[in-house]
Amino acid sequence: MKRGWIAGAIGVLTVALAACAPGGGASGQGGEAGGDKVTLSLWSWRVEDVKAYDKILAKFEESHPKIDVEFKPFQATEYNNILATGLSGTAGPDVAQLRAYGGLQPLVEAGQLVPLDGKVEALSGFDAKLLEGAKGHKDGKIYGVPFAYQTLQVFYNKKLFGDNGIQPPATWDEMIKAADTLKAAGITPFAVAAGPDATWTLPIVHEIFGNARYGSTAFRDALLSGGKKFTDPDFTASIKLLKDLEPYFPKDVAAVKIPDVQALFATGKAAMYPTGSFDLAPVLAADPSLEIGAFQVPPPPGSPVTTPVTPGWADGSFGVNAKSAHQAEALELVKWMATPEFGQLYASELKQLSAVPGVTPSDPLLAEMAKNYAANGAPYTLLVDFRYGQPNGDAVFRDEVQKMLVGQTDPKAVAESVQKGVEQWFKPGN
């Protein structure tokens, strides 16, 4: 086994060096003398997952004794550029962890990935919503095996709720009343960050509180067909919710960083944390004894949708490099990644929601979130549909919302900025 050979922070220079190294990249033979054993290179943006992948990939190697897998993680912020550079030459990976939706498209359009249609039969049983993130936007072909999905909801501290006589809210008014009670007790109601490193979380917070208010799936469908725009009054009203909730966020929220809010929640200084399922493991790592619950946000007054929803999206997939010298073996690996064995290992070792059908999380809270998504799943619209061009709709939104939280703009102007940005490349009905 050859794991963790590249430290994530080394960056693009590593790709260039790999081209000169014996057995480096997609063209490397590696393995045992005589070429009987093949070493596959697997690239990822998850530096923090090395130990988990050691265990996961060891199971694959047990059943595929002639294949070794070398897990090479890079810093997430540098990964896109490193991967693009690697795939454009001969020093790239055999199998790559791929971003979803708009993040996948540059690689598809460059012809750098192997279409998996007809090659990985198990994909026919995957949730169609999750497969969207692994498909070419124009050709509709599948280029990766989805590995996880994320759901959005509010985590809450069970002890703080109990100590303050609060139940998980069934209505919006109950949620606001709970926030008032907590604030009066000196507890930050909602752990939210809007600092320079955290603006990417603002569309997530908006989805959690505002998805039902703007109309959820029906509004998304109307956007795509041209029946509605982001300037629609319901979408503007959903943005205003964040400004209305600001008094319940940490003080000077536009300066608050992600580690700050995780610490606030983990130490009991904040009672609720609107976030994704991806944050469960980090929060519990900070305090394994923390008793956490989760609830779907009740629809705000005026919402076109009257039942709570759980927004979610495909987190990414694993695909095969079109220039790999070991495509047959690489396909064996991604086929295995579509099996319940991989899915269960992934869910258990990484405390994440596996995209593989039939996998039930062993963690009861993850299982609850998966159940909510299955029953009331809704698209994270800006991420799923409006990252395919520039300016990126999600990026425009987060920057404008941060300005709104410091009083530099208002909800109507935020909506207008998003619409003006996406219409430079988005054409309804296409």
Side-chain angles (χ1 to χ4, degrees):
M1 256 177 245
K2 301 177 183 178
R3 304 262 203 274
W5 179 67
I6 296 181
I10 293 177
V12 178
L13 178 60
T14 306
V15 178
L17 292 175
C20 303
S27 61
Q29 294 299 316
E32 298 175 348
D36 292 334
K37 199 166 190 176
V38 166
T39 296
L40 295 178
S41 174
L42 171 62
W43 286 13
S44 167
W45 66 78
R46 298 287 299 178
V47 176
E48 59 270 54
D49 292 347
V50 171
K51 290 183 179 179
Y53 274 101
D54 280 355
K55 295 181 181 179
I56 293 169
L57 294 171
K59 290 294 184 181
F60 171 78
E61 292 170 345
E62 284 179 11
S63 58
H64 297 77
K66 291 193 175 184
I67 305 175
D68 269 342
V69 185
E70 188 178 65
F71 182 71
K72 300 182 179 182
F74 299 86
Q75 290 293 343
T77 54
E78 301 170 3
Y79 183 74
N80 290 4
N81 288 336
I82 292 173
L83 180 60
T85 301
L87 292 178
S88 65
T90 58
D94 296 290
V95 175
Q97 191 171 35
L98 305 171
R99 305 288 190 184
Y101 309 104
L104 174 69
Q105 295 317 298
L107 308 180
V108 171
E109 292 170 10
Q112 294 171 334
L113 302 171
V114 175
L116 301 182
D117 305 75
K119 296 182 176 71
V120 182
E121 294 181 5
L123 287 172
S124 62
F126 275 58
D127 186 330
K129 296 194 299 295
L130 301 183
L131 283 175
E132 282 184 31
K135 286 184 175 182
H137 193 49
K138 295 179 181 178
D139 64 13
K141 293 180 180 179
I142 303 172
Y143 289 91
V145 174
F147 58 83
Y149 65 99
Q150 305 295 343
T151 63
L152 300 178
Q153 55 280 303
V154 176
F155 293 167
Y156 68 93
N157 184 314
K158 288 185 175 182
K159 183 178 186 304
L160 289 180
F161 267 40
D163 290 348
N164 289 276
I166 299 169
Q167 296 292 326
T171 67
W172 182 268
D173 287 345
E174 286 181 9
M175 187 182 76
I176 299 302
K177 183 179 179 181
D180 284 329
T181 299
L182 291 161
K183 189 174 182 180
I187 301 165
T188 299
F190 295 109
V192 171
D197 75 325
T199 56
W200 65 271
T201 68
L202 292 175
I204 285 175
V205 176
H206 169 255
E207 283 292 316
I208 293 169
F209 291 115
N211 188 289
R213 181 63 188 86
Y214 70 67
S216 196
T217 304
F219 180 77
R220 178 243 186 157
D221 293 344
L223 276 176
L224 297 181
S225 67
K228 290 197 175 186
K229 295 183 177 182
F230 284 107
T231 50
D232 184 88
D234 283 324
F235 193 78
T236 301
S238 73
I239 300 170
K240 184 175 181 295
L241 291 173
L242 298 187
K243 191 64 177 175
D244 293 343
L245 290 169
E246 186 183 0
Y248 304 111
F249 297 165
K251 185 180 179 182
D252 299 323
V253 67
V256 176
K257 300 177 180 179
I258 292 171
D260 297 335
V261 293
Q262 290 179 337
L264 278 173
F265 185 69
T267 58
K269 294 178 180 178
M272 294 179 278
Y273 186 13
T275 189
S277 48
F278 55 81
D279 258 335
L280 181 60
V283 168
L284 288 177
D287 182 0
S289 68
L290 195 64
E291 291 188 52
I292 301 175
F295 65 85
Q296 301 174 104
V297 169
S303 297
V305 174
T306 57
T307 55
V309 296
T310 293
W313 72 96
D315 199 17
S317 64
F318 286 106
V320 176
N321 182 355
K323 291 184 178 180
S324 170
H326 305 301
Q327 282 193 20
E329 292 83 1
L331 282 168
E332 284 301 308
L333 177 56
V334 297
K335 284 179 183 177
W336 180 74
M337 288 171 162
T339 66
E341 181 182 29
F342 171 80
Q344 202 65 59
L345 284 165
Y346 184 90
S348 299
E349 295 298 332
L350 292 167
K351 221 174 189 62
Q352 294 280 339
L353 293 168
S354 169
V356 178
V359 173
T360 302
S362 56
D363 183 274
L365 191 55
L366 278 177
E368 179 184 337
M369 290 186 273
K371 182 179 178 181
N372 286 341
Y373 183 70
N376 308 297
Y380 172 176
T381 300
L382 280 167
L383 183 153
V384 170
D385 298 297
F386 291 93
R387 285 188 175 183
Y388 289 99
Q390 293 298 328
N392 176 323
D394 201 59
V396 173
F397 182 87
R398 66 184 184 227
D399 292 343
E400 292 299 311
V401 167
Q402 188 193 45
K403 292 178 185 177
M404 180 184 73
L405 292 175
V406 296
Q408 294 177 359
T409 189
D410 58 37
K412 186 173 183 291
V414 173
E416 289 171 349
S417 293
V418 174
Q419 181 60 37
K420 183 179 179 181
V422 302
E423 67 186 13
Q424 294 182 43
W425 56 268
F426 170 70
K427 305 300 178 188
N430 292 339

